[in-house]
Amino acid sequence: MTASALAEPAPTFVRLDAPFTDQKPGTSGLRKSSAQFEQPHYLESFVEAVFRTLPGVRGGTLVLGGDGRYGNLRAINVILRMAAAHGLSKVIITTDGILSTPAASNLIRKREAIGGIILSASHNPGGPNGDFGVKVNGANGGPTPGSFTDAVFECTKSLEQYATVEAADLNLDTPGTHSIAAMEVEIIDGVDDFVALMQQLFDFDQINALLRSDFPLAFDAMHAVTGPYAKRVFEDLLGAPAGSVRNGIPLEDFGGGHPDPNLTYAHELADLLLKGDNYRFGAACDGDGDRNMILGHHCFVNPSDSLAVLTANATLAPAYAAGLAGVARSMPTSSAVDVVAKQLGIECFETPTGWKFFGNLLDAGRITLCGEESFGTGSNHVREKDGLWAVLFWLQILAVRRCSVAEIMSHHWNQFGRHYYSRHDYEAVPSEAAHGLYDRLENLLPGLMGQSFAGRSVSCADNFSYTDTVDQSVTEGQGLRILLEDGSRVVVRLSGTGTKGATIRVYLESYVPSSGDLHQDPQIALSDMISSINSLAEIQQRTGMARPTVIT
């Protein structure tokens, strides 16, 4: 052990001039601009509240890391000193502090830690002018529940001081063991444990054979956290040619890009697959590695369809060869997986947006796979969505079926029908305008029952609420739904993951049976619904935006 402090310093208590009143975590932790987190004592205030609220801190083990964005290394050393002051026995960190969210979940579970602190703002931009975030995961490896984040927020509002110790910053570039006061700091290779887990779930020999059989792939790490993982998996272990992993070096500002794997922000990868002929498979992951985008040769896989395809083909992967206990999707996600689950005779749950809602179902053994339309898919191997896992799952299916991504999609629609689906995001809308639009639309819902919408009759119009099957907790106000008699629907939500203004998300879905037209452009297939919701909600008039910022 390398002693980073020769003596055990006593905790120092730093007084705050006044509590911070804006530290209410969203669905994925506290996200603010980098500048806000650089305010004196701002980070420390939130971390103090976390350590006062998280069970088992004194004498416990904590996992700590992040996606490599601007501010990560400074925050890690701040948190280490505070962790020592609060009596933690050990903190496990990864080299350079680089740790994907699913890898963190795996480490928490494997090391039986009390939880983890993940430094990320997910798919939000990074750098001094970008965003920063602090997310807390619990002992099951998943996001902490709303009761925890509410308690943390209440603590911050009355906080008078925080505890820390005097200690030098640690160098995180090599594995090793250090000490701060009585606390042990273990620095490990952050990739090893995650890769070992993937090798247990999938047949790497089969995938290796696929990649060596004239099956070129392109993976875009978007200069974010998955670069080191992807290089180890795809190039070192699976035999993909050097350079198959693009933008593989994590950068503090993600190379000036927006690390969100969709057709807008990963357009260079999309062009390679959708317009070019040099690649058979493409994929991208986001800032912290929990989201994924799947592309085939001239084929984009909608995330809702991806969950349905993985469910229909699950037994092709060694980890799921015995079948699935059940599946779950977030409410805005299309019901494509529902049709598959019905045919398989397994349960299918509809939950609010937020991975924490899947946690109870996973822990209770009610589901094996789960997913969200926002490019997130996962299983019971961890308690987070997992981007690289989803990519490997697709490669596993392709390795067994030996056909193209487009052929898999065509076969799936011919068997189950197609759920035409799209999400329209209106980003950075002034908060007052966004909430005005949303509140007005909610007030209109009761009068829509039985009315005509997009040439169909409205069968239900409500604000979605959810009763948890496991603990019977009730979550309300999860999104405005307009359900139509033919099974089509429109959902409108305000996103809680941005830091500038508000994001209005409009979700559109229309089902066509296997006997119908399965090969339309989704924007054309949904055009009547797009026009109707734009008119009803007065989107252009109230946002001043002629078109969405992002269409997926």
Side-chain angles (χ1 to χ4, degrees):
M1 176 180 290
T2 300
S4 298
L6 297 178
E8 294 186 8
T12 299
F13 295 95
V14 181
R15 300 283 300 179
L16 301 178
D17 292 335
F20 293 97
T21 59
D22 64 343
Q23 295 190 330
K24 181 175 177 59
T27 55
S28 297
L30 181 67
R31 292 184 188 172
K32 300 288 183 181
S33 69
S34 297
Q36 282 179 280
F37 266 104
E38 289 185 312
Q39 295 178 75
H41 314 304
Y42 193 87
L43 170 66
E44 291 87 343
S45 167
F46 188 73
V47 173
E48 176 72 21
V50 167
F51 283 146
R52 292 190 186 190
T53 308
L54 188 66
V57 167
R58 183 161 295 277
T61 295
L62 182 79
V63 171
L64 174 62
D67 61 11
R69 70 179 56 231
Y70 174 81
N72 263 26
L73 292 177
R74 180 187 79 88
I76 285 172
N77 277 289
V78 166
I79 294 168
L80 284 175
R81 289 188 282 267
M82 294 183 67
H86 281 271
L88 274 150
S89 175
K90 176 189 283 191
V91 175
I92 300 168
I93 314 179
T94 51
T95 49
D96 297 319
I98 297 293
L99 181 64
S100 77
T101 291
S105 180
N106 177 51
L107 273 178
I108 292 167
R109 296 166 64 80
K110 182 176 181 180
R111 294 297 195 95
E112 298 183 346
I114 62 168
I117 295 179
I118 302 169
L119 303 170
S120 173
S122 188
H123 54 288
N124 291 15
N129 297 316
D131 295 335
F132 191 79
V134 180
K135 176 183 175 184
V136 182
N137 280 27
N140 75 337
T144 48
S147 57
F148 175 84
T149 53
D150 288 345
V152 169
F153 180 48
E154 288 302 314
C155 183
T156 63
K157 291 191 294 185
S158 60
L159 198 65
E160 296 181 349
Q161 63 183 16
Y162 64 86
T164 186
V165 299
E166 295 292 331
D169 286 354
L170 288 185
N171 186 334
L172 306 179
D173 60 2
T174 56
T177 305
H178 307 263
S179 62
I180 297 178
M183 184 183 77
E184 179 182 343
V185 180
E186 182 183 359
I187 304 173
I188 66 171
D189 183 303
V191 177
D192 289 344
D193 290 291
F194 180 81
V195 170
L197 177 61
M198 294 301 104
Q199 290 174 309
Q200 295 171 19
L201 302 177
F202 303 110
D203 188 330
F204 272 41
D205 289 337
Q206 281 186 326
I207 299 173
N208 175 274
L210 172 71
L211 298 187
R212 292 182 180 275
S213 63
D214 190 28
F215 193 84
L217 69 80
F219 179 87
D220 191 347
M222 306 188 83
H223 285 304
V225 76
T226 56
Y229 298 85
K231 282 181 175 289
R232 178 84 62 85
V233 169
F234 299 126
E235 296 183 4
D236 297 347
L237 295 176
L238 293 175
S244 296
V245 176
R246 308 165 65 86
N247 302 317
I249 305 298
L251 299 176
E252 287 192 337
D253 65 349
F254 307 116
H258 192 144
D260 196 355
N262 58 45
L263 297 176
T264 298
Y265 297 121
H267 60 88
E268 292 181 359
L269 177 72
D271 287 347
L272 288 177
L273 273 296
L274 302 182
K275 298 178 181 179
D277 295 314
N278 293 330
Y279 296 95
R280 295 294 172 265
F281 182 83
C285 289
D286 71 331
D288 65 330
D290 62 357
R291 301 182 186 216
N292 71 92
M293 178 174 69
I294 303 297
L295 298 161
H297 181 232
H298 296 181
C299 177
F300 164 70
V301 180
N302 184 288
S304 297
D305 279 345
S306 182
L307 175 61
V309 168
L310 297 186
T311 301
N313 293 273
T315 55
L316 300 184
Y320 314 107
L324 306 176
V327 293
R329 63 170 176 84
S330 65
M331 180 273 288
T333 303
S334 93
S335 49
V337 73
D338 302 43
V339 178
V340 177
K342 183 177 181 180
Q343 183 163 318
L344 294 178
I346 60 176
E347 287 188 293
C348 182
F349 298 89
E350 181 182 40
T351 74
T353 296
W355 210 258
K356 59 190 176 185
F357 293 103
F358 296 139
N360 278 356
L361 296 169
L362 289 165
D363 287 343
R366 300 290 294 274
I367 63 172
T368 309
L369 302 185
C370 44
E372 298 181 334
E373 50 70 36
S374 54
F375 296 86
T377 330
S379 86
N380 58 358
H381 69 289
V382 291
R383 293 299 182 267
E384 285 281 5
K385 47 186 176 280
D386 189 342
L388 280 175
W389 167 89
V391 176
L392 284 167
F393 206 151
W394 266 94
L395 289 173
Q396 177 74 75
I397 294 168
L398 292 165
V400 174
R401 294 184 57 174
R402 290 291 177 145
C403 61
S404 69
V405 173
E407 287 170 328
I408 284 180
M409 295 312 306
S410 182
H411 179 270
H412 185 87
W413 296 331
N414 284 328
Q415 182 177 3
F416 297 104
R418 182 174 183 181
H419 293 254
Y420 284 103
Y421 183 87
S422 186
R423 188 180 94 188
H424 290 192
D425 289 2
Y426 298 83
E427 297 180 346
V429 178
S431 293
E432 184 176 348
H435 285 276
L437 181 154
Y438 191 86
D439 293 344
R440 173 184 172 275
L441 181 59
E442 183 172 13
N443 290 332
L444 292 175
L445 294 183
L448 295 181
M449 291 288 294
Q451 299 297 309
S452 177
F453 182 93
R456 308 158 174 90
S457 178
V458 176
S459 61
C460 178
D462 64 7
N463 195 333
F464 179 66
S465 64
Y466 172 71
T467 301
D468 192 292
T469 304
V470 178
D471 64 14
Q472 304 305 310
S473 61
V474 177
T475 305
E476 298 179 327
Q478 293 301 300
L480 309 182
R481 303 189 302 173
I482 301 174
L483 310 183
L484 308 181
E485 59 183 354
D486 67 346
S488 302
R489 62 180 186 148
V490 176
V491 174
V492 178
R493 296 181 62 250
L494 293 182
S495 172
T497 58
T499 63
K500 298 179 177 69
T503 296
I504 300 170
R505 302 199 196 281
V506 180
Y507 311 82
L508 307 120
E509 177 182 359
S510 180
Y511 176 67
V512 174
S514 57
S515 58
D517 187 349
L518 301 176
H519 298 284
Q520 302 177 67
D521 181 320
Q523 302 308 310
I524 294 175
L526 298 166
S527 59
D528 55 348
M529 297 174 66
I530 294 170
S531 175
S532 294
I533 190 60
N534 286 352
S535 175
L536 178 66
E538 299 178 349
I539 293 176
Q540 182 173 347
Q541 173 184 338
R542 290 176 175 270
T543 65
M545 302 173 70
R547 61 188 59 84
T549 312
V550 178
I551 296 177
T552 51

